[in-house]
Amino acid sequence: MGSLSIWHWLIIAVVFVMFFGAKRMPDAARSLGRSLRIFKSEVSQMQNESNAPDSGAPAQQPAPQLPAAQQPTPSQTTESRTEQKSV
C-alpha cells in the first residue's frame, strides 16, 4: 500500500505531459541526463581528491636552514626585498 503502483506512475506521466507538452519532454529528459552526468563526475572527482590528496599537488619542501653564522639579519632581508621590488 505504501509503494506506487503502475497506475500511479501512469497518472504522474500524463500530468507531466499535460503540463510540459510532448515536444518539451525529450529536451527536458536530455537536460536532466546531462545534469546527472555532470553531478556524477563532480562527485567522483571530489572522492578522488579526498582519497589521494598527495598525488595531485606537489609536496612543498621546507626551505633549507642556514647555519647560525650565515643567516641574514632582519635588515638584510628588508634590503633584499626592496631590491627585488625595484628590479
Side-chain angles (χ1 to χ4, degrees):
M1 179 115 186
S3 65
L4 296 176
S5 69
I6 188 72
W7 294 108
H8 292 113
W9 288 111
L10 185 62
I11 291 170
I12 291 171
V14 169
V15 169
F16 270 107
V17 170
M18 287 175 40
F19 279 137
F20 298 113
K23 292 182 182 180
R24 294 170 105 189
M25 292 301 287
D27 292 335
R30 219 174 284 121
S31 297
L32 180 64
R34 282 187 201 131
S35 299
L36 288 175
R37 269 185 259 130
I38 291 169
F39 179 74
K40 184 179 176 181
S41 68
E42 292 294 326
V43 168
S44 65
Q45 183 180 10
M46 286 175 49
Q47 288 176 346
N48 289 341
E49 287 175 359
S50 66
N51 289 342
D54 294 332
S55 64
Q60 293 182 353
Q61 298 290 334
Q65 294 292 326
L66 297 174
Q70 295 179 355
Q71 287 185 349
T73 62
S75 63
Q76 289 175 338
T77 56
T78 55
E79 289 173 2
S80 65
R81 288 184 192 154
T82 55
E83 288 174 7
Q84 289 175 352
K85 289 180 184 177
S86 65
V87 172

